[in-house]
Amino acid sequence: MQCAQKLTDNIYWIGSNDWDTERFENLFPIPLGVSYNSYFIDDEKTCIVDSVDDSIRQEFFDNVEFLLRGRQLDYVVVNHMEPDHCSTLVELIDRYPNVKLVGNRTTFRLFEQFYGRPHPENYYEVKEGDSICLGKHTLHSYTMPMVHWPEVTCTFESSTGVLFSADAFGTFGTINGNIFADQLDFERVYEDEARRYYTNIVGKYGVQVQNAIKKVLPLGIKMIAPLHGPIWRTPESIQYMIKKYMHWSTYSAEKKGVVIAFGSMYGNTADMAQQLARLLSFRGITDIKIYDVSKTNPSYIIADAWKYSHLVCMAPTYNLALYLTMENLLYELKALNFHNHKVSIVGNHSWASAAMKRMVDYFTNQIKDMEIVGTPLDIRGALHQDQLKLFAKLADDIAKSINETEIKTFSL
C-alpha cells in the first residue's frame, strides 16, 4: 500500500518508519524508532533521491510503482552510500535496468564493496557543482565530505529551493503522519533525539559541518529534506535547525547546568554523586542531570554533555585502572572530538588509586580544550561526614564557574 506524501506539486516523500530495530547502527537505542526518508521527483525524467533501508523495502517499492505509473525510472541520486539508505539499490537496477545511479567515484567504490555487483553501465558520475536537468527541475550536486562519510553529497533542486541534505539535519524518531517539522512540537518531542543523533553520529566532524553550512546557505534554501526525521519547509523552522547545527558543531554549551556521570560498584560513588547534586542545589543550581554510566547508554550522556556547560565524572578504580563503563564513556567523548566544556573529577579507591589519575589524564592530555573546575578528589572507600567539606568546596567551585559561564548565541 503506497503512503507517498507531497513536498511540492511534483516532489514526494516516499519513506517509511522502522519501529522494530532496537539500536541504530547496532549502537544507539532508538525507543522512538526511526524514519528512512526517500524522495521522488515527477518530471520529464523520473528521479529518486536516495534509497532506503531493507526494513522498509516493501513500502518503498509500493510508493515507487505508484508514482511511476508504468514509466521507466531514469535516475537515482545517491547522496550517501551508508546501507540504511542504499539497501534497495541493487533491486532498483534489477527492476529498472536502464536507471542511472548518480554519485561520485567514492560512491561507486562503496557500492561495489557492499554489494559485489559492479554496474558501470548504470553509473552517472558527478562532481562539485554538476547539474542534471529533469525537465522543470534541475539538480545541483555539492560535496559534503565527512558529514559524516567521505562520499557524502547534498543535492539542491533550484526551481523549488529543496535541499536534499543526506544525513545532515536529521533525527531519531519516526514520522507519525505529519512529515513537516512545523506540524509538530519539535522542541518537545524531537529536539533531544536530534541532538543525540547529531552528537553521536556527526559530532566528530564539527569543522566539516560548518564548511557544509557555509556552502549551502547562499543557495536560497526553501526546504530541507533529510534522510531521517521530519522535513523543514518554513523560514523559521529552517533557521532553527541550521542554528542548532551551527551551535552543536562548535562544541559550545547550549545551557548552564551540570551533568553528573558516575560509575559505582557497591553504591559508594553513587552516594557521592547524590551528595554533590544536593550541595549544588543548595547553591542555586537548578539544571542537574545524574547518569549511572553502567545503566545508561553513552549516547544519552554524550548528548547532554554537549548540551550543558559542566560535566562531572565520578568513578572508582577497577583492576588498577578506571572503572570500565566510565573508561568507555571517556573514550567515546574523545573519539567524538568533545571539547570546549568544563569538567570536574572525583575518583574513588580502596587500596590502590588509579581512577582519578586516569580521568585527569583524559581531560588534560587526550580530550583537548577542557577546563578542570575545582581540585580533583580521590576518596578512599565510602564518603564520611568529615569529607563533606571537600564536596562542599567542589560544589562552591562548580556553582561559581556556572554562574560566570557565558552561553554563546548564533545567527545566520
Side-chain angles (χ1 to χ4, degrees):
M1 177 70 70
Q2 67 86 16
C3 59
Q5 293 197 48
K6 279 190 175 184
L7 273 66
T8 71
D9 285 344
N10 297 101
I11 302 178
Y12 297 82
W13 174 79
I14 55 170
S16 190
N17 293 310
D18 178 2
W19 287 279
D20 297 329
T21 300
E22 292 189 4
R23 290 181 180 245
F24 189 82
E25 297 182 351
N26 212 21
L27 285 171
F28 312 114
I30 44 173
L32 302 178
V34 68
S35 74
Y36 298 107
N37 300 340
S38 176
Y39 304 95
F40 183 89
I41 303 176
D42 191 354
D43 207 331
E44 294 172 23
K45 298 288 187 179
T46 57
C47 179
I48 290 172
V49 181
D50 290 300
S51 178
V52 297
D53 185 78
D54 194 56
S55 63
I56 63 163
R57 172 195 164 278
Q58 188 58 56
E59 299 99 310
F60 173 73
F61 281 109
D62 286 347
N63 287 329
V64 171
E65 290 176 9
F66 171 77
L67 291 169
L68 280 174
R69 300 189 302 277
R71 295 171 295 170
Q72 286 299 304
L73 179 61
D74 295 302
Y75 296 102
V76 177
V77 174
V78 185
N79 282 317
H80 186 22
M81 255 308 302
E82 202 165 1
D84 60 329
H85 306 298
C86 290
S87 293
T88 58
L89 283 182
V90 171
E91 187 170 350
L92 278 170
I93 294 173
D94 289 342
R95 290 185 180 218
Y96 308 103
N98 296 320
V99 69
K100 295 297 182 184
L101 300 186
V102 180
N104 54 51
R105 189 171 300 175
T106 307
T107 304
F108 302 133
R109 176 173 60 81
L110 291 171
F111 174 82
E112 294 176 5
Q113 287 176 197
F114 281 126
Y115 302 115
R117 287 181 56 181
H119 282 276
E121 69 279 7
N122 295 99
Y123 298 163
Y124 188 109
E125 185 175 339
V126 291
K127 298 181 176 64
E128 176 78 15
D130 283 354
S131 300
I132 297 175
C133 181
L134 304 178
K136 295 178 180 178
H137 299 79
T138 303
L139 304 177
H140 306 270
S141 180
Y142 297 93
T143 58
M144 296 197 305
M146 300 318 298
V147 184
H148 57 120
W149 277 26
E151 90 300 353
V152 174
T153 60
C154 62
T155 299
F156 182 68
E157 200 294 294
S158 52
S159 71
T160 57
V162 177
L163 177 70
F164 299 98
S165 61
D167 268 347
F169 308 114
T171 179
F172 296 137
T174 57
I175 291 178
N176 304 316
N178 296 315
I179 66 171
F180 297 106
D182 58 280
Q183 296 174 314
L184 310 163
D185 187 348
F186 187 90
E187 289 186 61
R188 183 180 65 84
V189 178
Y190 288 94
E191 185 182 291
D192 285 346
E193 289 294 83
R195 182 184 297 101
R196 189 163 68 95
Y197 173 90
Y198 173 88
T199 55
N200 287 276
I201 295 173
V202 191
K204 180 180 179 71
Y205 304 107
V207 172
Q208 290 85 349
V209 169
Q210 292 172 45
N211 290 338
I213 290 173
K214 291 174 184 175
K215 183 182 292 189
V216 301
L217 269 183
L219 296 177
I221 300 168
K222 296 179 181 177
M223 187 181 296
I224 298 177
L227 290 177
H228 301 287
I231 295 148
W232 310 87
R233 66 174 177 179
T234 66
E236 296 79 12
S237 67
I238 290 170
Q239 288 190 20
Y240 163 85
M241 199 54 181
I242 291 177
K243 285 180 182 178
K244 285 294 182 185
Y245 262 58
M246 290 173 67
H247 204 139
W248 296 336
S249 65
T250 65
Y251 307 88
S252 300
E254 296 171 77
K255 293 187 68 178
K256 295 183 179 185
V258 184
V259 174
I260 300 175
F262 75 87
S264 189
M265 286 182 282
Y266 301 110
N268 291 320
T269 314
D271 180 54
M272 296 175 200
Q274 293 186 87
Q275 290 294 339
L276 181 60
R278 179 178 67 92
L279 293 167
L280 287 168
S281 176
F282 291 166
R283 286 153 178 79
I285 305 305
T286 57
D287 217 337
I288 304 169
K289 297 287 186 74
I290 303 180
Y291 289 108
D292 181 344
V293 297
S294 296
K295 291 189 175 181
T296 304
N297 184 273
S299 66
Y300 292 97
I301 307 173
I302 288 165
D304 270 348
W306 229 275
K307 178 179 180 179
Y308 290 102
S309 57
H310 289 65
L311 173 67
V312 181
C313 293
M314 311 175 73
T317 296
Y318 190 84
N319 280 342
L320 301 180
L322 179 58
Y323 193 58
L324 295 176
T325 47
M326 180 61 74
E327 179 82 36
N328 181 64
L329 173 65
L330 300 190
Y331 178 84
E332 290 200 36
L333 285 171
K334 173 188 172 183
L336 292 168
N337 197 28
F338 178 75
H339 64 282
N340 198 23
H341 282 66
K342 300 177 182 181
V343 64
S344 301
I345 296 166
V346 178
N348 186 9
H349 72 281
S350 297
W351 64 89
S353 175
M356 186 196 76
K357 294 176 184 177
R358 179 65 172 158
M359 288 187 284
V360 169
D361 177 68
Y362 259 109
F363 289 111
T364 55
N365 299 318
Q366 300 186 54
I367 301 175
K368 303 298 185 182
D369 193 19
M370 296 290 293
E371 178 185 338
I372 295 180
V373 175
T375 302
L377 302 180
D378 195 10
I379 306 300
R380 188 185 292 272
L383 181 64
H384 299 287
Q385 188 67 34
D386 62 347
Q387 295 170 314
L388 278 177
K389 60 187 178 186
L390 298 174
F391 280 77
K393 177 61 168 66
L394 182 58
D396 285 338
D397 293 337
I398 294 172
K400 181 175 184 290
S401 178
I402 289 174
N403 291 328
E404 293 175 349
T405 295
E406 294 185 8
I407 300 298
K408 293 182 178 179
T409 57
F410 293 82
S411 58
L412 301 184

